[in-house]
Amino acid sequence: MRTYIGRQQAISPEDFAELALGTPIELWLGVEGESDEERAARLDAARDILADNPNLPDDLIRIAAQVIEENPDLFDVIPLSRPALRRRTARKGVAA
């Protein structure tokens, strides 16, 4: 099964998000160890993108919903069996 956003194939969930957003996912989530200045610059860029594209969050949600609808097996969940509980039997008698 292959997923395409436009003409680009999304191989991983990160690819899917980046192609759907049109920007690197790190722009929205940040990166570990970024400085305060880097974070401020990243957030400014994200605000500018959202100001220029006010429908971006709705478009992303719509694309994600479409992929989920077309690929319901992405969320197949197999319940794990629980081990049988071991019951302690009461011992009758006198302690030594």
Side-chain angles (χ1 to χ4, degrees):
M1 164 177 49
R2 295 182 180 161
T3 302
Y4 288 88
I5 306 294
R7 294 184 202 161
Q8 299 291 319
Q9 181 179 0
I11 297 172
S12 68
E14 291 80 14
D15 287 348
F16 172 78
E18 184 172 335
L19 290 168
L21 288 169
T23 61
I25 194 74
E26 292 83 11
L27 176 68
W28 307 101
L29 300 180
V31 292
E32 190 174 331
E34 71 183 355
S35 69
D36 290 340
E37 290 177 358
E38 291 169 328
R39 183 175 190 271
R42 177 180 57 78
L43 293 176
D44 284 343
R47 281 188 207 96
D48 289 344
I49 290 170
L50 287 174
D52 292 343
N53 303 290
N55 293 329
L56 183 63
D58 293 335
D59 293 343
L60 177 59
I61 291 168
R62 189 174 14 267
I63 291 168
Q66 180 181 356
V67 168
I68 291 167
E69 185 177 338
E70 291 173 359
N71 304 286
D73 55 321
L74 290 175
F75 296 96
D76 282 347
V77 178
I78 300 170
L80 299 174
S81 62
R82 292 186 174 183
L85 293 175
R86 296 175 67 188
R87 295 188 181 173
R88 296 180 74 182
T89 57
R91 294 184 187 182
K92 294 184 181 179
V94 179

